Amino acid sequence: MKKWIFLFALALFFGCAKNNPEFVPLSLNWFEYQGDLAAIDSSYKPATVDSSFEETCLISMTRALMESKNLRECEESAQKYNVQYFGILVDGKSVLEFRGQSASIHEILDMEKEPLPLNKSKNCTFKARCDGKTATLID
């Protein structure tokens, strides 16, 4: 009996694997931006976030990016992303903002001190925010 259950589970596993070609693994390089927020947006007010808030947001953001149809549809070479994040105040509450773009070997940028220029012509860019519970793509 155990043999049949094992064979059924194995057949189900391989059957499902073949029917779901949409899974695209993403490689995410995280960088906490510690530069001047005014260089990104003059209206941003800095906020301090603790490590558990940051950890929760990184996990939520990873999930949101893995589920993003737009990022899955980017060309295969764009499945590696550089992601900057920083704390800001939005309506009096601390949130983490994320800015990401497909990584390029040719880009030499100190991601912790220089703002990531979101080049729309390069495609595969995004902005997102996390309130400590959920991450939401905003652009």
Side-chain angles (χ1 to χ4, degrees):
M1 181 71 170
K2 288 182 184 179
K3 178 179 165 184
W4 290 110
I5 293 174
F6 174 75
L7 289 175
F8 177 73
L10 193 61
L12 182 63
F13 174 76
F14 282 110
C16 291
K18 290 180 182 177
N19 292 333
N20 193 5
E22 292 185 25
F23 175 74
V24 178
L26 298 177
S27 174
L28 303 169
N29 301 315
W30 302 102
F31 299 95
E32 182 178 6
Y33 179 71
Q34 298 170 356
D36 182 16
L37 286 179
I40 296 172
D41 188 323
S42 61
S43 69
Y44 283 173
K45 306 270 188 265
T48 305
V49 295
D50 64 26
S51 61
S52 65
F53 183 93
E54 179 180 332
E55 187 176 300
T56 300
C57 283
L58 290 175
I59 292 167
S60 294
M61 192 69 239
T62 300
R63 180 181 179 138
L65 293 174
M66 295 291 287
E67 292 175 349
S68 169
K69 184 178 178 185
N70 291 340
L71 293 184
R72 284 196 320 255
E73 291 176 351
C74 288
E75 68 268 6
E76 189 174 319
S77 63
Q79 298 310 309
K80 184 174 184 178
Y81 291 88
N82 289 330
V83 183
Q84 281 183 333
Y85 65 95
F86 47 87
I88 58 173
L89 289 174
V90 175
D91 298 327
K93 296 179 183 177
S94 295
V95 299
L96 278 183
E97 181 160 306
F98 295 85
R99 304 172 81 238
Q101 181 167 283
S102 59
S104 171
I105 297 171
H106 306 293
E107 287 181 8
I108 299 174
L109 182 69
D110 184 351
M111 297 290 286
E112 293 176 350
K113 299 204 179 355
E114 298 177 51
L116 178 65
L118 295 182
N119 186 349
K120 292 291 185 185
S121 66
K122 192 173 183 180
N123 203 357
C124 302
T125 64
F126 65 89
K127 283 187 194 178
R129 287 193 177 155
C130 176
D131 62 6
K133 296 175 186 165
T134 59
T136 306
L137 293 171
I138 57 175
D139 190 21

